[in-house]
Amino acid sequence: MFLTSSNSSHSRPVRVAVVGTGAIARGSHLPALKALAADQPLEIVAAVDVDGDAVAEFCAHAGIARPYTDLDLMLSEQRPDLVTLATPPRFHRDQTVAALRAGAWVWCEKPPCPSLEDFDAIEESEGEEGEGPFAAIVFQHRFGSGSEHVRRLLDGQAMGRPLVAHCQTTWYRDSAYYSVPWRGSWSSEGGGPSMGHGIHQMDLLLDLLGPWTEIRAMAGRLVHDVETEDVSTALVRFENGTMATVVNSVLSPDEVSRIRIDCERATVELTHLYGHRNADWRITPAPGVTSEEADSWRDFGPDVPSSHEAQLRGLLSDLRAGRRPRSSGTDGRKSLELVAALYKSAFTGATVSAGEIVPGDPFYGALHGNAPGWAPVPLGVPKEADA
C-alpha cells in the first residue's frame, strides 16, 4: 500500500492522515505538511480526534475533507501512506501499532512513548528493512543546516576529538501550567522535564557525539507538587571518551536551550530556545588555529532552520524510497533509553550502563521503575514526604 521505489511513481501523492488536532498538530504538523504539499505530491486525506467538534473545526480550517473520531475506521477507509501522531504519549504505542499494521508509516510526536517496552513493541510491528512501514519520532532539533554541518565536523574530527560537553534545557513552567490535570503525571506525560522537555537537546547531543556508555543522575521535586521530577541533573560518559553534564529544569526564569562541545581545537556552542538557525551556532577556535581554517568551520551554508518541516521533508523522501528514516528503530530508541537510564540512576542512586535496562528490569516497563517515592501513588494512599 505504501510508496516504494519499486511499486509507485514519485508523482503519486503521499496520502497523509493527522491524528490528534491539538496545539502541536495545528502549530507544527499542519504547517509542515502544507509547506511540503506546495512543492511535492502530498495530500492530507483525513484527521482524527476523539473530540468530534474539535476534529470538525480542524478539518474545516485546514481544508481536509474527512474528519473521524475512530482511528481504526479511518485507517480501513482511507488507507493513508503516512500517519502523523500528535496525541498524548500514553496513546502512542497502540495508535502507532494500529497504523503500522494497516500499512501506514508513522511520524510520532515526542515524547515517543512511556517506556522502552512500548517502544520495542512498536519496532516489532514495523515492516521489513528496505520496504517498511516504519515509525519515526519527531526529533526536529537534529535536522537543519546547523546541526548537520556540526555533525560533519565532529564526525571528521576537523576540530579534533570532542572532550567535554554540556547539554542544558532550563525552561520555566509556573503553577498554572501544572494546574492542568494531566500534567506532571507518569501516565499522561510519561515523565517530567527530562522526558517531555529536555529530550530534544539530549537527542541532539547523542546525534552529535554518538553512543553513550554510562550515566549518573539526580532528580528532585523542588517546587511543583507533581508525580514526576521538576529538575534533573546528570553526568554522562560517551563511547568516544567525551564527558558531559546534562541539566533539565522547568524552574528557570531565564529560559535557554544550549549545547556546548569542547574539542581539542575548538569549542562549538548552540544557544537557542525552541529551535535553531545557523546564527545560533558559535565556533571558537583554540589558539594556533589559522583564520582560514576557522572560517571554513564557520561556513554553515544556506540557512535551513531546525523544524518539523526539515525532518518531514527527509522522511517523505525515505517513504518514497522504502528506506528506514532517521529517528526510527534503534536510532529513535537511543534517546528514550538515555532518559530511562537517567531516571533509573536518579531514583536508585546507581550508575547505569548503556544496554542495562532490559526486559525484567523495573525501568524497562515504566520510567518511574516503581521506585519508592517516585512511582504513582494509588488512590487513597497518602503520598510519602519527598526525601
Side-chain angles (χ1 to χ4, degrees):
M1 185 279 299
F2 44 86
L3 305 175
T4 71
S5 56
S6 61
N7 68 15
S8 64
S9 165
H10 184 277
S11 62
R12 180 194 157 199
V14 174
R15 294 168 52 81
V16 182
V18 178
V19 179
T21 61
I24 196 68
R26 294 169 183 265
S28 297
H29 288 228
L30 186 59
L33 288 166
K34 289 199 164 189
L36 293 170
D39 64 16
Q40 61 181 274
L42 185 153
E43 179 185 5
I44 308 174
V45 298
V48 182
D49 198 290
V50 293
D51 186 327
D53 292 337
V55 71
E57 191 277 330
F58 180 84
C59 287
H61 168 75
I64 301 171
R66 300 170 186 88
Y68 286 84
T69 56
D70 186 308
L71 174 62
D72 291 332
L73 181 61
M74 184 280 292
L75 291 170
S76 65
E77 290 187 352
Q78 298 304 320
R79 308 297 294 177
D81 302 303
L82 173 66
V83 168
T84 74
L85 279 185
T87 54
R90 67 180 183 272
F91 301 122
H92 288 174
R93 171 178 173 169
D94 290 346
Q95 291 174 337
T96 300
V97 169
L100 290 169
R101 289 178 176 170
W105 287 43
V106 178
W107 193 41
C108 178
E109 190 58 54
K110 67 85 192 166
C113 49
S115 71
L116 290 169
E117 181 179 28
D118 289 334
F119 195 97
D120 290 346
I122 289 170
E123 280 196 78
E124 290 176 2
S125 298
E126 291 183 326
E128 298 295 326
E129 292 296 327
E131 184 175 1
F134 302 114
I137 307 303
V138 177
F139 283 138
Q140 77 273 19
H141 286 208
R142 28 159 132 170
F143 296 84
S145 52
S147 54
E148 290 174 1
H149 175 68
V150 170
R151 188 184 309 109
R152 286 192 295 269
L153 292 176
L154 292 169
D155 286 347
Q157 292 198 2
M159 301 177 293
R161 291 183 300 123
L163 304 172
V164 182
H166 177 66
C167 178
Q168 175 182 351
T169 305
T170 43
W171 295 356
Y172 186 76
R173 299 294 183 266
D174 61 15
S175 58
Y177 176 85
Y178 283 105
S179 68
V180 178
W182 57 266
R183 287 190 172 135
S185 75
W186 293 105
S187 63
S188 55
E189 285 204 290
S194 309
M195 176 68 159
H197 303 85
I199 194 171
H200 272 308
Q201 297 315 298
M202 289 189 286
D203 177 75
L204 178 54
L205 186 73
L206 290 173
D207 200 54
L208 295 174
L209 291 180
W212 61 280
T213 58
E214 63 177 357
I215 184 170
R216 309 172 192 182
M218 294 188 295
R221 302 184 189 102
L222 302 187
V223 173
H224 299 294
D225 182 18
V226 291
E227 285 185 343
T228 66
E229 85 288 6
D230 58 14
V231 62
S232 70
T233 63
L235 304 175
V236 184
R237 191 188 305 273
F238 283 80
E239 199 172 273
N240 62 14
T242 306
M243 298 175 66
T245 61
V246 177
V247 180
N248 301 298
S249 166
V250 287
L251 311 178
S252 309
D254 182 10
E255 296 187 290
V256 68
S257 304
R258 178 179 291 124
I259 283 180
R260 172 180 169 132
I261 302 173
D262 296 319
C263 301
E264 292 174 303
R265 305 180 65 225
T267 292
V268 57
E269 186 170 13
L270 167 65
T271 304
H272 67 115
L273 187 54
Y274 299 136
H276 53 81
R277 310 180 69 97
N278 287 352
D280 296 316
W281 294 83
R282 184 178 65 174
I283 296 179
T284 304
V289 174
T290 66
S291 58
E292 291 79 11
E293 189 170 20
D295 288 344
S296 71
W297 297 340
R298 293 168 175 148
D299 182 6
F300 284 73
D303 191 8
V304 179
S306 68
S307 65
H308 283 67
E309 180 183 339
Q311 180 176 0
L312 185 56
R313 184 179 296 277
L315 187 147
L316 288 169
S317 177
D318 294 331
L319 186 153
R320 289 189 169 95
R323 61 177 172 254
R324 178 176 287 283
R326 291 178 62 196
S327 78
S328 70
T330 56
D331 187 44
R333 189 185 191 274
K334 63 187 182 185
S335 297
L336 181 60
E337 183 189 8
L338 181 62
V339 172
L342 184 155
Y343 282 132
K344 180 176 181 178
S345 178
F347 298 166
T348 65
T351 298
V352 177
S353 299
E356 174 181 320
I357 302 176
V358 296
D361 188 304
F363 288 87
Y364 178 76
L367 292 182
H368 53 72
N370 291 314
W374 288 102
V377 177
L379 291 177
V381 176
K383 290 176 62 176
E384 294 183 22
D386 293 337

